[in-house]
Amino acid sequence: MKRKILFVFGTRPEAIKLAPLILAFKKQQDKFDTRVCVSAQHREMLDQVMDFFELESDHDLDLMQPGQSLFDITARGLKALEAVLDLEKPDVVFVQGDTTTAFIGALAAFYKQVKVAHIEAGLRSGDKYSPFPEEMNRLLAGRLADFHFTPTPSASRNLELEAMKGEIFMVGNTVIDALMLGLELINNKSGIDYSSKFNFLEAEEKIVLITGHRRESFGEPFEELCSAIRDLALEFPEVRFVYPVHLNPNVREPVNRILSDLKNINLIEPLDYPHFLWLMNRSYLVLTDSGGLQEEAPSLGKPVLVMRDVTERTEGIEAGTAKLVGTSRKVIVEEARALLSDKAAWEKMAKAVNPYGDGHSCDKIVKQMEKIFFNQEVLGIE
Ligand code: UD1
Ligand code: UDP
């Protein structure tokens, strides 16, 4: 008998990291009925990913409202999921990571006594308020999960230390599967000239790629971070600073106010995934507070300065391709200056490493679920 799997997600990074997994389950049509529910906690930024990977949703909760609060998405999303679960009656609900959609997806499944599979389980910063609310979202999703698919050995260890119930499988991070699939799709779509979107770039120009959107940094830390970028742009007029600005109004206001008047800073709209990968690949240095970028940039051999006080993605730091620099204007400027002006320091960080996965995480997850549901022999899974 086929098993029904319901994916619940709602933001850009969840969609990117789940796209290859959904496609992998859909290939096993004889075993799995794969259904997709998007909360649409994000709208445009989610749709960009759905379009690129040619994914369609079976349910769209259309939650997003401008400037939404955590209460908004939690309450409206949880209620809307009740009807979806009543209709679909899945055998298992898959959620990814640490967004509010991931947490309420797990909670809704629990209320209906449906099993929960948590992808990218076990990340911990150890600080309840940083990243906020992600640290608690993933911890609570973990408590509700029956199957924990962790990206790294240390994530598995975190769950074991917390005596987490359920089964733990170390499979790597599906972000690497997405990255590889993304690069493959870009190469297949050979008629598209990705560079044409970036006609402001000079051929040999050094690019610093910037993204930032964390809630715990809103207010003063975010102003500091923007001021640091301004200082750097003034100190290095020959370097181009490209910032695809997140659509959150709490991000856009300070970014536009502090950074819009400098010639070597390009504030651009969020890019679709292939254009973003193209730009990251072309960059010299990445300044970010994003979780996903900390995982992707090491694979592409790009040094990353992580503009946060804590990170749950410690493997890139240990591998030496990422450095935690906080949100102090002075420190960000010093650390970026060192990499922009000292080739040896840059070369030390610019090495391609893959601490987060080998690009086969999705196959491992599908095989594990086959084993769980159909008791099939699975090779290569711990
Ligand atoms: C959310 C996640 C965060 C994740 C991030 C990825 C939560 C609480 N936060 O944060 O974990 O790292 O997504 O980007 O789950 N907006 C748009 N269009 C969009 C997307 C957002 O206009 O396509 C604007 C809206 O005004 C929206 C606001 O951004 O209200 C905030 O979106 P929200 O999902 O609540 O928070 P993020 O900061 O995006
Ligand atoms: N990304 C994208 N377009 C952009 C910026 C980022 O497609 O303009 C991708 C990026 O490659 C990564 C993911 O979005 O896979 C990261 O999303 P975000 O920073 O919003 O969330 P986080 O990873 O911090 O949760």
Side-chain angles (χ1 to χ4, degrees):
M1 197 184 68
K2 271 200 209 188
R3 299 303 170 122
K4 190 185 267 192
I5 292 195
L6 178 67
F7 282 90
V8 176
F9 58 97
T11 66
R12 170 172 67 190
E14 292 166 274
I16 290 171
K17 290 170 172 180
L18 287 177
L21 186 60
I22 294 169
L23 295 172
F25 270 113
K26 282 196 181 247
K27 273 193 199 149
Q28 305 294 332
Q29 277 181 33
D30 52 328
K31 296 186 184 116
F32 297 107
D33 182 5
T34 306
R35 312 283 288 170
V36 172
C37 171
V38 293
S39 70
Q41 173 179 334
H42 282 176
R43 187 70 277 172
E44 303 90 319
M45 285 159 55
L46 170 74
D47 294 345
Q48 279 180 326
V49 184
M50 300 294 280
D51 289 348
F52 174 62
F53 286 105
E54 299 181 0
L55 292 177
E56 283 183 16
S57 61
D58 302 293
H59 303 272
D60 189 332
L61 309 183
D62 204 17
L63 281 192
M64 202 200 81
Q65 291 177 349
Q68 64 207 3
S69 75
L70 296 175
F71 295 88
D72 287 334
I73 27 178
T74 307
R76 290 191 294 114
L78 187 63
K79 182 68 198 141
L81 281 170
E82 184 179 9
V84 175
L85 288 168
D86 279 339
L87 192 76
E88 291 290 356
K89 298 191 177 17
D91 294 296
V92 58
V93 166
F94 268 72
V95 295
Q96 198 283 337
D98 51 22
T99 68
T100 292
T101 295
F103 166 51
I104 59 170
L107 184 60
F110 165 69
Y111 284 165
K112 290 283 172 196
Q113 299 188 21
V114 172
K115 289 208 183 307
V116 176
H118 188 204
I119 305 295
E120 199 183 84
L123 302 198
R124 296 290 185 268
S125 70
D127 181 342
K128 183 175 173 181
Y129 289 111
S130 191
F132 174 80
E134 290 79 11
E135 178 74 0
M136 282 314 279
N137 278 345
R138 58 188 165 224
L139 203 143
L140 295 169
R143 278 283 155 210
L144 296 164
D146 300 274
F147 311 117
H148 310 268
F149 291 102
T150 68
T152 61
S154 80
S156 294
R157 228 169 12 253
N158 288 338
L159 297 181
E160 283 154 14
L161 287 172
E162 289 169 10
M164 199 63 92
K165 295 271 188 277
E167 294 182 79
I168 301 170
F169 308 105
M170 211 286 283
V171 292
N173 199 315
T174 62
V175 74
I176 306 299
D177 301 42
L179 183 70
M180 289 180 176
L181 180 59
L183 295 173
E184 190 187 311
L185 291 173
I186 293 172
N187 289 336
N188 289 345
K189 292 180 184 174
S190 51
I192 301 175
D193 174 13
Y194 287 95
S195 67
S196 66
K197 197 174 179 84
F198 307 100
N199 52 16
F200 52 85
L201 295 177
E202 305 286 341
E204 298 301 317
E205 207 169 28
K206 248 184 210 172
I207 299 169
V208 175
L209 173 63
I210 302 150
T211 76
H213 66 82
R214 299 243 77 85
R215 265 184 165 80
E216 69 274 10
S217 296
F218 290 167
E220 208 187 313
F222 211 82
E223 305 241 339
E224 282 266 301
L225 188 156
C226 290
S227 301
I229 294 159
R230 185 179 180 85
D231 293 348
L232 287 164
L234 289 168
E235 186 176 333
F236 295 93
E238 73 291 0
V239 174
R240 184 148 300 278
F241 294 78
V242 187
Y243 187 162
V245 188
H246 194 288
L247 293 177
N248 193 327
N250 294 304
V251 172
R252 291 175 89 81
E253 190 281 320
V255 168
N256 284 321
R257 174 164 43 81
I258 299 171
L259 297 174
S260 61
D261 64 328
L262 295 184
K263 279 213 303 266
N264 57 332
I265 297 184
N266 290 83
L267 303 179
I268 59 175
E269 291 303 313
L271 293 166
D272 62 18
Y273 188 53
H275 280 94
F276 189 77
L277 288 184
W278 184 92
L279 184 63
M280 185 158 38
N281 216 10
R282 170 74 178 74
S283 299
Y284 182 81
L285 171 64
V286 177
L287 302 184
T288 190
D289 65 12
S290 156
L293 260 77
Q294 290 179 62
E295 295 153 350
E296 291 163 344
S299 287
L300 297 176
K302 304 296 171 183
V304 193
L305 296 182
V306 183
M307 300 185 291
R308 298 193 196 180
D309 295 327
V310 287
T311 184
E312 58 290 341
R313 274 114 174 152
T314 49
E315 292 82 357
I317 312 259
E318 282 151 17
T321 58
K323 194 164 184 185
L324 196 61
V325 296
T327 52
S328 139
R329 176 178 186 171
K330 186 165 164 286
V331 178
I332 296 172
V333 171
E334 281 168 7
E335 294 287 349
R337 179 190 294 131
L339 294 172
L340 286 169
S341 42
D342 178 353
K343 191 78 203 246
W346 179 85
E347 271 168 358
K348 229 174 128 193
M349 285 185 82
K351 46 187 186 231
V353 291
N354 252 348
Y356 297 106
D358 60 4
H360 297 289
S361 304
C362 295
D363 285 345
K364 291 176 192 166
I365 295 167
V366 172
K367 283 194 180 130
Q368 191 59 59
M369 291 314 293
E370 284 176 10
K371 186 179 178 191
I372 287 165
F373 282 134
F374 308 110
N375 200 21
Q376 289 189 355
E377 198 45 51
V378 177
L379 298 173
I381 304 276
E382 289 170 26

